[in-house]
Amino acid sequence: MRLLHTMLRVGDLERSLSFYTEVLGMRLLRRKDYPSGRFTLAFVGYGEESDTTVLELTHNWDTAAYDLGSGYGHIALGVDDIQAVCEAIRAKGGKVVREPGPMKHGNTVIAFVEDPDGYKVELIQLSSRG
């Protein structure tokens, strides 16, 4: 077994696709409309679905926003230079909600950004994991 994807429900698919592709640098892997169900699925990621875990963005055509709930945590991305990545995200209009620094009770350097729907994306400095 392997992890295939994580699904997020998004209110504005084009806005979310712009964030994940232009701000975070993922690629749109596939997209399909389901008119009879009034929804669209779009899969984005850094590699092919056959090789890597990807993100499924689900847009229900009649829903503009969601209550994120208190059980959801975040998506995590490993990065080589967390400072440069945060600067690039800011330059592209992304929102850094926690500046890079060591996590509480540890040494791993992390930061958090927020997508257009309010979902948190954790950035982890790969060289500091431990």
Side-chain angles (χ1 to χ4, degrees), residues 114-128:
E114 192 173 272
D115 87 350
D117 287 281
Y119 293 112
K120 300 293 188 286
V121 179
E122 180 182 25
L123 306 175
I124 300 173
Q125 177 77 38
L126 293 174
S127 62
S128 72

Side-chain angles (χ1 to χ4, degrees), residues 6-126:
T6 295
M7 183 271 270
L8 298 176
R9 289 183 176 89
V10 299
D12 180 331
L13 183 58
E14 297 310 317
R15 181 184 68 181
S16 293
L17 284 172
S18 291
F19 175 79
Y20 285 100
T21 60
E22 296 169 20
V23 177
L24 294 185
M26 294 182 187
R27 287 186 304 120
L28 175 60
L29 302 170
R30 63 184 168 106
R31 174 182 179 158
K32 185 172 180 181
D33 292 330
Y34 295 84
S36 63
R38 300 193 50 72
F39 67 95
T40 301
L41 301 182
F43 291 80
V44 295
Y46 294 110
E48 298 304 320
E49 289 180 79
S50 58
D51 302 320
T52 63
T53 303
V54 300
L55 187 60
E56 172 189 330
L57 303 176
T58 298
H59 176 241
N60 292 296
W61 299 353
D62 302 315
T63 306
Y66 292 92
D67 175 9
L68 301 185
S70 61
Y72 174 79
H74 59 268
I75 299 163
L77 303 176
V79 300
D80 291 323
D81 184 342
I82 200 165
Q83 294 289 346
V85 169
C86 284
E87 289 172 23
I89 287 170
R90 255 193 230 84
K92 295 175 182 175
K95 183 177 177 184
V96 177
V97 295
R98 189 224 194 248
E99 294 297 325
M103 62 181 273
K104 290 182 183 178
H105 314 293
N107 297 322
T108 303
V109 176
I110 64 171
F112 278 91
V113 300
E114 192 173 272
D115 87 350
D117 287 281
Y119 293 112
K120 300 293 188 286
V121 179
E122 180 182 25
L123 306 175
I124 300 173
Q125 177 77 38
L126 293 174

